[in-house]
Amino acid sequence: MKKLIAGIALFGTFALASAQTITFDKTTFDYGTVKPSSDGTRFFTVTNTGDKPLVLSNVKASCGCTTPEFKTDPIMPGKSAQIKVGYNTAINGPFNKMIEVFSNDPANSRTVIYIKGNVDSNAPEVAAAPATPVDAKAAKKAAKAAKKVAAAK
């Protein structure tokens, strides 16, 4: 009986080790202090550090002032995708919003990411930075993590 239980536990561990795994470049995006009606769009990078395709099935914001956009195309092992999150910066005051990400990752089928910041008319002017949906440093880090996972097998 002990061998049977140990065999089942070992198989379960192997099954989880060889699956799709969701990884984020960051789990909280801090807008800092921004002016009203400024660009409220930010991007989270999602990487599949497992060895099977990862599928995002749903991304839900905690309120209507936050609008997430995502693709349901499978994210192949070692590859990344973007979740675009928009916040309505016409609403003055501090904010801290939760976004739920649902996927086929067996260990983390529901993951929570956050955006936070403060909309203030006295915020200093900020020079607009080019909007790049892919953070090169984060993408390299995720690729390196994927290689480590593959090498460990």
Side-chain angles (χ1 to χ4, degrees), residues 60-68 86-87 91 95-99:
K60 291 177 19 180
S62 59
C63 74
C65 59
T66 306
T67 54
Y87 178 73
I91 303 168
F95 63 92
N96 189 1
K97 303 299 177 182
M98 176 180 77
I99 299 121

Side-chain angles (χ1 to χ4, degrees), residues 30 58 74:
D30 189 350
N58 197 7

Side-chain angles (χ1 to χ4, degrees), residues 15-126:
L16 287 177
S18 63
Q20 53 280 16
T21 307
I22 192 168
T23 307
F24 291 90
D25 61 336
K26 62 185 96 185
T27 55
T28 301
F29 201 113
D30 189 350
Y31 285 56
T33 301
V34 297
K35 286 203 164 288
S37 300
S38 61
D39 182 18
T41 303
R42 302 294 186 268
F43 294 90
F44 287 89
T45 301
V46 180
T47 302
N48 180 358
T49 54
D51 62 1
K52 294 181 181 173
L54 175 71
V55 177
L56 302 181
S57 56
N58 197 7
V59 178
K60 291 177 19 180
S62 59
C63 74
C65 59
T66 306
T67 54
E69 296 178 27
F70 69 103
K71 294 185 178 179
T72 57
D73 299 337
I75 304 167
M76 302 313 286
K79 300 294 181 184
S80 298
Q82 300 290 314
I83 296 176
K84 179 180 176 182
V85 177
Y87 178 73
N88 181 359
T89 59
I91 303 168
N92 282 321
F95 63 92
N96 189 1
K97 303 299 177 182
M98 176 180 77
I99 299 121
E100 296 175 286
V101 180
F102 297 91
S103 71
N104 64 338
D105 179 338
N108 295 304
S109 61
R110 177 189 170 267
T111 308
V112 179
I113 56 178
Y114 300 90
I115 58 170
K116 66 180 185 175
N118 185 29
V119 178
D120 185 351
S121 59
N122 296 320
E125 290 291 332
V126 178

